[in-house]
Amino acid sequence: MASNKKTNVFDLSVFSRIMSYASAYKSLFIFSGISSVLLAGIGALRPYLIINAIDNYVYTKTEEGFLTLVIIILAALIAEVFFQLIFIYLANLLGQNVIKDIRTKLFKHVLSFNMAYFNNSSVGKMVTRVVSDVETIAQFFSQGLFMIVNDILKMIFVAIMMLYINWKLALIAFVVLPILIYATKIFQKAIKTAFQEVRVQVANLNGFVQERVTGMKIVQLFNRERIEHDKFQEINKKHRSAHIKTVWYFSIFYPVAEVLSSIAIGLLVWFGGKELAIDGNVTQGEIVGFIMMTEMLFRPLRQIADKFTTLQMGMVAGDRVFEIMDTQSHIDTQGTHQPKAIKGAISFKNVVFSYIKNEPILNGVSFEVKQGETVAIVGATGAGKSTIINLINRFYDVDSGSIKVDGTSVKEYDLNFLRNEIAIVLQDVFLFSDSIYNNIGLQKEEISMDEIKDAASQIGISKFIESLPGGFEYNVKERGIMLSSGQRQLIAFLRAYVSNPSILILDEATSSIDSHSEQMIQFAIDKITEGRTSIVIAHRLATIKNADKIIVLDKGNIVEQGTHQELIHIADGYYKNLHDKQFSNQQIA
């Protein structure tokens, strides 16, 4: 299927799909078409008026009526300019409306993808699809489709006018058209493949730059500037080569088209001059007019090749956008269960899950969390701790087994309702480039500034926020770079607290805090876990000693469960060994 799309000059299915978005703007489409027809008709009328002026007034030196004809020609020029303005404006307006709708639909579709899609996709390439490729679709209308229609109409009107005035001269002008049409067809086929490669290289370049800018700290810490520069040069070279290929095709086609146009004009001058001198069957005005009309006939054909390229670029971009729209990487959202309140009891029963088929991360995991309990999950990196959190939130669905909240499968819950009842504080806190207030309330209308300030006071972080310039209106910049890791963590705790969740999840939320923030964070943890079901993932065992239950994971299996005191008394137990390694120099009760 993919190979067919690369060789077809015109992909009707993609064309039809893009055009379907224009159906919502029928009036714009119709008026654009009318202005295109009028523009083409007036353009073809000008040479006829000039022939009339030369033969009936200039050649015969007749003054009477000449001024009137000049005014008519001037009016035709003004009308042509006016309809050109209307045509360009309406075509661009239609294109912008269409891409607004496509971009909105695309982004909404992307928001519904499960985490597996984002784990396997480049952010830079995704941005290229949503921004650059969608913008290219706008040119499909403004510089592609309508321009082609307008040029074809011009050619038809001019050809009819030529045949009407002098069919012999018209046939002379038409003699090289088949060669130019054939050359145009070859050019269009070659340029489509070239532009597909251009779009691929643009996406690769965007993806590379986005990742390196995001990870610039790592690049500089490990002295990778030269390595990354060399990689960028290689990718940039491929990007340049893809563009040069398109330039090469254009550099061949345009001179060929120009030569053929010149040949046609040369034949007209030769034949017309001979007819004028010998038989008088051709007038001087007709020779001048036919030279003008030949240019008007060939120029649109050359431009059609260019506009067809723009049309193809729009369809290539559309194909890439529709590929994402057609991607089915969603969590089933057909659940409708929305109880008045969630108590917070959680149960896993024989849960098997794998990110990659036949490579399970969890192997038949079963455990229960009672309402209001604080349960800690510990284990080595890759044991499956964070996977459990992802499954509770339904970022993924299990391969087999069941996960229930308050005795009801998570699949039966309305997904938005379920996630509204769960709050997570992650180790790597993500903050938007916005105010602290908006990062906490996430612009939810039901969360007021007073509620946020009151919540900040309750968990003991209001002084820290108010000490910042602007307080709650302080802009933390991209990813919260203006705050320390401990301060970002405090903001995350407040964000979780104001959402008033039934279930709270702390995923390594205390692993990278500084000593200054530790007391505030511990106080915040005690406050927000009070009276609600909490799951805590931690490497630092000192933070989970008071948990109601500790679950020990190893390679996707639960190897131990119990309280801190129970587990440290298991001879040669996994938890005991972990505990002894961390506190070998301390006396821990």
Side-chain angles (χ1 to χ4, degrees), residues 6-17:
K6 287 187 178 182
T7 55
N8 289 340
V9 173
F10 190 85
D11 195 323
L12 184 60
S13 63
V14 176
F15 176 83
S16 301
R17 194 164 177 183

Side-chain angles (χ1 to χ4, degrees), residues 61-248:
K61 298 180 181 180
T62 303
E63 187 175 348
E64 185 180 353
F66 184 61
L67 181 60
T68 303
L69 184 59
V70 169
I71 293 172
I72 292 173
I73 294 173
L74 181 60
L77 285 171
I78 293 173
E80 190 173 3
V81 170
F82 174 75
F83 285 114
Q84 182 83 19
L85 185 151
I86 296 297
F87 169 69
I88 292 174
Y89 176 77
L90 292 178
N92 278 275
L93 182 60
L94 177 62
Q96 290 302 316
N97 280 323
V98 166
I99 66 165
K100 173 183 67 70
D101 294 344
I102 292 177
R103 188 179 285 123
T104 300
K105 184 176 180 180
L106 175 63
F107 190 67
K108 183 179 180 181
H109 187 68
V110 169
L111 287 175
S112 66
F113 284 166
N114 59 25
M115 288 298 107
Y117 181 86
F118 298 105
N119 292 341
N120 297 309
S121 302
S122 164
V123 175
K125 291 181 180 180
M126 180 70 69
V127 171
T128 301
R129 299 290 194 277
V130 177
V131 180
S132 178
D133 282 343
V134 174
E135 191 62 42
T136 303
I137 295 175
Q139 298 176 8
F140 170 93
F141 291 97
S142 61
Q143 300 177 33
L145 176 64
F146 286 116
M147 289 295 185
I148 289 174
V149 171
N150 182 249
D151 285 342
I152 290 174
L153 287 173
K154 280 182 181 178
M155 290 175 64
I156 292 172
F157 286 152
V158 167
I160 291 172
M161 187 67 72
M162 292 171 79
L163 289 168
Y164 171 74
I165 295 171
N166 191 315
W167 65 270
K168 290 183 179 180
L169 284 179
L171 293 179
I172 292 294
F174 295 164
V175 74
V176 297
L177 271 179
I179 303 173
L180 184 55
I181 291 171
Y182 180 71
T184 302
K185 186 176 180 180
I186 295 175
F187 170 75
Q188 289 166 350
K189 190 173 182 179
I191 205 68
K192 181 181 180 182
T193 304
F195 271 115
Q196 283 176 324
E197 179 62 21
V198 167
R199 299 310 303 169
V200 169
Q201 294 306 326
V202 167
N204 290 340
L205 189 64
N206 286 347
F208 182 88
V209 172
Q210 189 275 333
E211 287 181 355
R212 270 57 186 184
V213 170
T214 302
M216 187 57 68
K217 189 174 182 179
I218 299 299
V219 171
Q220 295 184 354
L221 278 173
F222 289 89
N223 294 320
R224 288 184 58 85
E225 291 91 341
R226 170 52 58 185
I227 296 172
E228 298 301 340
H229 178 262
D230 291 343
K231 285 184 177 180
F232 178 81
Q233 280 192 315
E234 187 63 30
I235 293 173
N236 199 27
K237 190 181 295 182
K238 291 180 179 178
H239 180 264
R240 181 201 64 183
S241 298
H243 273 285
I244 286 177
K245 188 178 288 186
T246 66
V247 173
W248 169 247

